[in-house]
Amino acid sequence: MVAKKAADNLKIFSLNGNQPLAEKIAKAFGQELGKCVVRQFSDGEIAINIEESVRGVDTFIIQSTNQPVNDYYWELLIMIDAMKRASAKTINVVLPYYAYARQDRTAKPHEPITAKLIANMLTKAGATRVLTLDLHTVQVQGFFDIPVDNLFTIPLFAKHYLSLGMSGDEYVVVSPKNSGVQRARSLAEYLGSTLAIVDQTEDEDGYVIGDVQGKKCIMVDDILNTGQTFAKASELLLAEGAVEVYACASHALLSNGASECLSQSAIKDICVTDSCLVDESRQPRQLTYITCADLMGEALRRIHENTPMSPLFRLALEDA
């Protein structure tokens, strides 16, 4: 996607969550990042200073909430407040990864719904719109009383695999858990492949639903955290006769121990987006990054110009 001329009356800012991605998004948009300073006092308090005028300006704040998640959310909330007090026209929050989205219901008695709490906090702070990427469940959009645009990563992965010729009857797209079937079905449709499901729990061995005998499998999930779901599913697939196993995930959190777990697995390649910033020491040997910057940069443009977002799902598969 070719960068276009910078838009008037718009400024893009980045906090510390994922500065490299923010720079790529701004470049895809055709604009430099705005100037701001984020620092912490010795007691851990966060201070932010916007170093240019945003009065009457449409502002976009890019912040991915990977580790340390709570620090990065506080940066974002304080930045929103700073924008509001500086008389920004609109405050658009860009969350490549929306942390706490998995806590979207009361699964056990007396549990909070933290995804809703985060939505309340962002709205009350002064955000006027949220742009995010592949929410854990799309219903989280309903927790907001402001517009939410949720982009999908499946077209990005489809484009990647199609460019490698990884499509057709030779491949099976696999959901490594039964809650992710819709995501796997979508990728299978793009690739013209069949679908399988690994039904597994923490306490049981699990089993494969579908035919993977003699097939090359592509597992797909939204969040890659400990790596255990992918590693266990790959073992089950190979035991059922799969000849090769690949994997892709929207958000690579890669918590401590994930690199070792995945590096020791039989997965040949793990494709992830750059929505989260992870130190190289926590990256497994098979990791391949594809960028979501062009997709999100074009989304910023469409929000600013009030043009439809739906063509983005086509643009992700084509050279726009």
Side-chain angles (χ1 to χ4, degrees):
M1 188 176 295
V2 179
K4 301 177 183 178
K5 182 181 177 181
D8 295 330
N9 201 38
L10 178 145
K11 293 184 180 181
I12 304 171
F13 293 85
S14 173
L15 299 173
N16 290 328
N18 195 336
Q19 186 81 18
L21 175 60
E23 292 173 354
K24 288 189 284 187
I25 292 173
K27 183 178 180 180
F29 187 89
Q31 190 158 315
E32 294 184 357
L33 290 173
K35 297 178 181 179
C36 67
V37 174
V38 182
R39 66 186 188 278
Q40 279 195 352
F41 296 116
S42 57
D43 63 351
E45 287 187 7
I46 297 168
I48 290 179
N49 182 47
I50 305 168
E51 298 193 321
E52 55 187 276
S53 175
V54 294
R55 182 176 294 274
V57 172
D58 290 321
T59 59
F60 288 81
I61 307 169
I62 302 173
Q63 176 76 321
S64 195
T65 50
N66 37 255
Q67 295 184 40
V69 53
N70 299 317
D71 285 352
Y72 288 156
Y73 263 128
W74 270 111
E75 282 186 9
L76 179 57
L77 291 166
I78 294 169
M79 183 65 157
I80 293 170
D81 188 71
M83 289 290 183
K84 181 173 64 175
R85 296 178 188 280
S87 301
K89 181 181 178 182
T90 61
I91 304 171
N92 302 276
V93 172
V94 181
L95 283 167
Y97 170 63
Y98 185 100
Y100 286 109
R102 286 174 287 182
Q103 298 184 42
D104 60 350
R105 67 197 186 284
T106 302
K108 299 177 182 177
H110 317 305
E111 282 188 342
I113 303 179
T114 319
K116 170 61 173 171
L117 174 63
I118 295 295
N120 288 345
M121 292 168 66
L122 294 174
T123 304
K124 293 294 185 182
T128 55
R129 190 182 199 100
V130 171
L131 171 66
T132 190
L133 183 70
D134 214 353
L135 286 168
H136 180 63
T137 55
V138 294
Q139 294 91 327
V140 171
Q141 293 176 84
F143 292 166
F144 288 86
D145 293 323
I146 57 176
V148 177
D149 293 298
N150 178 38
L151 302 176
F152 297 105
T153 58
I154 291 301
L156 297 177
F157 292 128
K159 182 177 180 180
H160 171 73
Y161 289 124
L162 288 170
S163 71
L164 298 175
M166 297 174 64
S167 61
D169 294 337
E170 184 182 0
Y171 290 86
V172 177
V173 177
V174 180
S175 174
K177 53 191 179 185
N178 54 24
S179 60
V181 175
Q182 183 55 48
R183 187 175 290 104
R185 181 179 290 113
S186 178
L187 182 59
E189 290 174 355
Y190 277 118
L191 301 183
S193 304
T194 54
L195 177 69
I197 304 166
V198 174
D199 192 356
Q200 58 173 314
T201 65
E202 294 181 2
D203 303 324
E204 299 177 0
D205 292 336
Y207 55 94
V208 178
I209 304 171
D211 181 17
V212 298
Q213 179 71 38
K215 303 286 187 175
K216 297 177 181 179
C217 295
I218 303 174
M219 298 185 294
V220 56
D221 207 349
D222 63 325
I223 298 174
L224 176 54
N225 189 15
T226 65
Q228 293 181 11
T229 299
F230 271 165
K232 185 177 178 181
S234 67
E235 293 177 1
L236 292 168
L237 292 169
L238 291 170
E240 288 294 318
V243 295
E244 290 180 352
V245 179
Y246 300 83
C248 62
S250 307
H251 310 294
L253 303 182
L254 297 172
S255 300
N256 291 336
S259 176
E260 182 179 2
C261 175
L262 293 167
S263 294
Q264 293 176 355
S265 74
I267 303 172
K268 294 182 67 67
D269 181 81
I270 304 169
C271 183
V272 298
T273 76
D274 52 357
S275 63
C276 297
L277 185 61
V278 177
D279 188 84
E280 289 186 9
S281 64
R282 297 190 359 238
Q283 298 177 12
R285 59 177 176 81
Q286 313 101 310
L287 205 64
T288 297
Y289 276 102
I290 60 174
T291 188
C292 59
D294 289 343
L295 177 64
M296 302 203 79
E298 182 63 19
L300 261 67
R301 181 176 303 282
R302 289 174 178 273
I303 290 171
H304 181 62
E305 296 177 351
N306 293 312
T307 54
M309 300 287 280
S310 53
L312 289 183
F313 306 116
R314 175 178 55 83
L315 292 175
L317 287 168
E318 301 175 359
D319 292 324

